[in-house]
Amino acid sequence: MSTETSKPYLRIATEEAFAPPEMLKIYNKILAGSDVDPGFKGLMGFYMSSPSERARHIMRCLQDLDQVRLGHMDEAGIDHQVIALTAPGVQIMDKDTAVSFSRVANDQLADAVKRHPTRFTGMIAVPVQDPQAAAKEIERGVTQLGMNSVIINSHTHGEYLSDTKFWDIFAAAEAHDTPIYLHPNSLPRNMIQSFQECGLDGAIYGFGVETGLHALRIITSGVFDRFPKLQMIIGHMGEALPFWSYRLDYMHQATVRSQRYESIKPLKKKPSDYLRENFYITNSGVAWEPAIKFTQSIVGVDRVLYAMDYPYQYAVDEVTAMDKMSMSAEDKKMFFQTNAQKVFKIKAV
Ligand code: MN
């Protein structure tokens, strides 16, 4: 579909965001309430009200699933987008609203995929607040909407998926073979202050710290010993976890031996083994060859995927930079195209 004919692969971007206008209405109500979550207020509250060019560009692109988006994809040479409900999705809502609105959002995204089947693939948004309803929505997404992956925007009101009360979601994801993309959220109330007071709570650093922590909590809580076939996806070069692998492995074993924490239990494998066997990693927001190659060397070339992070990081020049990476043609095609086709079960491009 790209205007170029020379490149020997399709570019499939795998962490791309949308926001139905109806969701922004719900957000406006939440923002008008009392005791608004400080991370939500600082992030969506800002983007939804700022007159800055960046904020207006983001809000316009987020709400479009047709010509604006397709125009940008053509301009940047993106053949296909894997699209998810933008953070915090339904996870900032109360439980009932989250249950009903996740269905609305998923129906809208499925309709857009029907309109543009060779350009879009959708992820299933789930009401994490109600794990049984989330499990049902995964089933509906797979069997009725033709979607094959799940989006979860990190913590839900400060709660983490390492808590066994959420594990029905993992059971459903494993049973339906739907990988879960663990995407950043703004930081929870009990964590945000020391980041926000210096302006480092967002994508610059805080998101990576919190989402990396969440992924690590999922590993150390034993989720993958209980659900060995479950697959997760993390963006932003694995939120730095590949770089931490050696220390995580050494200190996990040392902490188990010391019996210092009830919550650090023996696992069947090393933390880095789960990264290698249960995680795919995208380069969203990190168009940087050394980090991409290092991550490939840790988790394997079959587990690292391309992503742009549209519209938050719509950077056309980054696409060209990624094309120029010094990497075998075979590995580059896996990075841009074939890994994504496998992970998200993309048939039409
Ligand atoms: Mn993103």
Side-chain angles (χ1 to χ4, degrees), residues 25-253:
K25 281 184 196 148
I26 297 172
Y27 282 2
N28 269 324
K29 265 192 208 159
I30 296 172
L31 287 164
S34 58
D35 196 25
V36 181
D37 178 272
F40 180 62
K41 191 178 175 185
L43 185 70
M44 284 316 280
F46 173 79
Y47 280 126
M48 288 170 63
S49 63
S50 167
S52 74
E53 199 185 321
R54 173 173 163 77
R56 282 165 49 210
H57 163 82
I58 287 171
M59 294 318 297
R60 172 168 170 258
C61 300
L62 274 177
Q63 296 176 76
D64 180 273
L65 285 170
D66 293 287
Q67 296 318 317
V68 172
R69 184 174 297 256
L70 291 169
H72 284 147
M73 288 168 68
D74 291 341
E75 183 182 51
I78 302 299
D79 298 281
H80 198 93
Q81 279 193 347
V82 183
I83 303 173
L85 193 62
T86 203
V90 302
Q91 291 164 252
I92 193 71
M93 301 172 189
D94 63 72
K95 192 200 274 191
D96 291 346
T97 312
V99 170
S100 60
F101 193 77
S102 54
R103 296 173 66 96
V104 173
N106 291 332
D107 286 345
Q108 279 196 17
L109 185 53
D111 285 346
V113 172
K114 260 184 218 150
R115 291 195 300 277
H116 310 291
T118 62
R119 306 304 300 275
F120 297 161
T121 289
M123 292 191 221
I124 307 162
V126 291
V128 178
Q129 298 91 321
D130 184 339
Q132 287 76 35
K136 270 188 204 153
E137 188 60 9
I138 292 174
E139 183 180 13
R140 191 181 80 92
V142 172
T143 59
Q144 293 177 40
L145 303 180
M147 296 182 183
N148 295 297
S149 58
V150 174
I151 179 75
I152 293 182
N153 293 296
S154 198
H155 74 93
T156 303
H157 298 302
E159 293 195 299
Y160 288 89
L161 300 170
S162 45
D163 188 325
T164 53
K165 75 178 184 184
F166 294 114
W167 288 17
D168 280 355
I169 300 174
F170 292 134
E174 189 187 49
H176 292 287
D177 192 22
T178 47
I180 298 175
Y181 204 122
L182 190 72
H183 184 277
N185 192 351
S186 50
L187 303 197
R189 280 178 195 274
N190 63 357
M191 186 174 175
I192 197 166
Q193 192 195 341
S194 50
F195 289 82
Q196 207 170 37
E197 67 192 13
C198 55
L200 298 176
D201 56 301
I204 185 172
Y205 189 65
F207 287 179
V209 172
E210 199 268 346
T211 310
L213 169 72
H214 196 163
L216 191 54
R217 285 182 70 141
I218 289 170
I219 291 173
T220 57
S221 67
V223 164
F224 299 108
D225 287 347
R226 172 72 182 77
F227 306 102
K229 288 185 188 143
L230 175 69
Q231 296 293 318
M232 300 196 74
I233 307 159
I234 36 178
H236 317 100
M237 237 52 266
E239 315 293 4
L241 289 179
F243 202 78
W244 277 88
S245 290
Y246 183 92
R247 192 158 172 78
L248 292 174
D249 288 350
Y250 185 92
M251 281 301 168
H252 182 263
Q253 199 186 37

Side-chain angles (χ1 to χ4, degrees), residues 269-309:
K269 301 172 193 169
K270 296 191 299 249
S272 67
D273 292 331
Y274 299 103
L275 267 187
R276 210 172 285 119
E277 293 167 24
N278 298 93
F279 284 87
Y280 292 93
I281 290 175
T282 82
N283 82 314
S284 54
V286 189
W288 192 30
E289 181 172 344
I292 292 167
K293 283 184 162 166
F294 174 77
T295 306
Q296 287 176 326
S297 77
I298 300 298
V299 301
V301 289
D302 57 337
R303 287 195 170 263
V304 183
L305 288 71
Y306 172 68
M308 178 180 266
D309 212 0

Side-chain angles (χ1 to χ4, degrees), residues 258-276:
S258 72
Q259 301 182 347
R260 184 172 164 197
Y261 295 101
E262 176 74 18
S263 54
I264 293 285
K265 298 177 284 283
L267 296 170
K268 286 185 183 163
K269 301 172 193 169
K270 296 191 299 249
S272 67
D273 292 331
Y274 299 103
L275 267 187
R276 210 172 285 119

